[in-house]
Amino acid sequence: MGKSKDRINLKNFIKAFVILIIAFAIINSCSGKNNNKDKAVNDPVTIEDKSSSNTKKMDQNDSNSNTPTEDKAAEASIPLDKQKEYYTEFTKPEIDSVIDEFDLVWDSLWIKTFTEISDGSMDIYEGYEKLDTAEKRYDRLYDRLNKVPDKGLEKDRKKQIGSFSVEVQDSIGLRIEVIKKAKKMFDTGKIIPSTLAEIKQIIEGSDEYMQQAILILTSIDKELSIEQ
C-alpha cells in the first residue's frame, strides 16, 4: 500500500508540476525562438570545465600569427564584405542549427515529457529515459559550440563568437542541471517543496544566458549589415 500511495502522490505532483513547466516554457520561448529574430534554432560536464574549454579554443584562434603586429595587420586586411560572406555561409548556419537544437530538445524532451506524464500517455519510466536523452543531447550540443566556424573573421568578431558560445554553454549547463533534478525526482519518487523554486530559478537563469547570447548575435548582424 505504501508504494501504491507513493505512485499516486508522485502522479498528482507531476500533474501540478506540468502546469509550472508549461509556464516556464513561455519564459523560455521568449529567450530562444522569439528573441532570436524569429529563428526556428555522455557524462555531464560542469559549466566551469566547459567554459575553460571554450577559452582554450579562443586562445588558439588568436595565436595563428607570429606577432601581435602581424596578427593585427592580417586581420585588418579582411574586408568587411568578405567577413560578411564567410559569416553568412559558415558561421551563421551553424549558430542557427545550434539554437534550433537547443529549443527542440527542450520542447520535445522536457515539456512534452511532463505534458504526457500529466495526461497519462507516458509513464515515469519512459519519462526518465526521455530526460536522459535530453541530457545527452545537450552535452553534445555543448561540445559543438567549441567548434563554431570563425576563421574568416577578424579578431574582435572571433571574440564575439567566443562570447556567444560561452553564454549558450552556460545556458545549456543550467538546463542539464534541472534535467538532473527531474531525473532524481522520478528515480526516488521524493518531492521536496523547495525543488520547484530551485528549478524555476535555474530555468530563469538559463534563459538569461540565452538572452545575452542573442544580444551578441544581434550586434554581429548589425556590424555586418545583415538583415534581421
Side-chain angles (χ1 to χ4, degrees):
M1 288 294 293
K3 291 183 179 179
S4 176
K5 184 177 180 181
D6 286 342
R7 292 194 191 98
I8 294 172
N9 288 339
L10 180 58
K11 186 174 181 180
N12 289 338
F13 170 81
I14 290 174
K15 285 185 177 180
F17 185 56
V18 74
I19 297 173
L20 292 176
I21 294 302
I22 292 172
F24 297 160
I26 295 173
I27 298 173
N28 172 61
S29 137
C30 292
S31 67
K33 295 178 181 175
N34 294 342
N35 277 358
N36 189 34
K37 295 156 286 184
D38 297 321
K39 290 190 184 101
V41 261
N42 278 303
D43 293 328
V45 184
T46 63
I47 292 176
E48 289 77 11
D49 290 341
K50 294 174 178 177
S51 296
S52 63
S53 174
N54 192 69
T55 300
K56 182 178 179 181
K57 167 185 173 291
M58 291 171 63
D59 291 340
Q60 290 173 342
N61 283 333
D62 293 342
S63 62
N64 291 330
S65 300
N66 293 328
T67 67
T69 302
E70 291 173 354
D71 186 52
K72 183 176 180 180
E75 287 168 355
S77 68
I78 304 176
L80 197 62
D81 62 335
K82 291 297 183 182
Q83 291 188 63
K84 178 178 179 179
E85 182 180 342
Y86 179 90
Y87 180 81
T88 303
E89 184 174 354
F90 298 105
T91 311
K92 185 175 172 59
E94 176 63 8
I95 286 174
D96 288 348
S97 176
V98 164
I99 296 177
D100 283 345
E101 176 73 0
F102 179 92
D103 287 336
L104 180 62
V105 171
W106 194 250
D107 293 344
S108 65
L109 293 173
W110 173 271
I111 297 172
K112 192 170 184 288
T113 292
F114 281 99
T115 300
E116 293 189 1
I117 287 177
S118 176
D119 65 22
S121 60
M122 181 186 297
D123 61 39
I124 59 173
Y125 302 102
E126 184 180 356
Y128 184 96
E129 291 178 359
K130 295 289 187 184
L131 293 181
D132 192 55
T133 298
E135 181 181 343
K136 291 175 181 176
R137 285 177 64 173
Y138 271 139
D139 268 331
R140 290 195 293 269
L141 188 63
Y142 195 111
D143 292 336
R144 281 179 61 186
L145 284 156
N146 288 326
K147 303 173 184 177
V148 175
D150 65 357
K151 291 182 180 179
L153 304 175
E154 66 179 19
K155 183 177 180 179
D156 288 345
R157 209 143 282 126
K158 286 179 180 179
K159 288 183 177 179
Q160 287 176 304
I161 297 301
S163 295
F164 164 82
S165 296
V166 169
E167 294 290 347
V168 179
Q169 285 176 325
D170 286 347
S171 181
I172 290 172
L174 292 181
R175 293 287 170 96
I176 290 173
E177 186 176 342
V178 296
I179 288 170
K180 288 179 179 296
K181 287 182 178 295
K183 284 170 61 180
K184 184 175 181 180
M185 177 182 71
F186 285 2
D187 197 33
T188 65
K190 295 179 180 179
I191 307 303
I192 302 172
S194 60
T195 300
L196 285 179
E198 286 180 42
I199 287 177
K200 182 176 184 295
Q201 286 182 337
I202 295 169
I203 293 176
E204 288 174 346
S206 173
D207 291 343
E208 288 173 5
Y209 281 123
M210 180 55 78
Q211 287 169 358
Q212 289 301 313
I214 298 305
L215 288 176
I216 294 170
L217 292 184
T218 302
S219 177
I220 294 173
D221 285 356
K222 183 177 180 181
E223 292 170 6
L224 296 177
S225 300
I226 294 174
E227 294 183 5
Q228 301 181 16

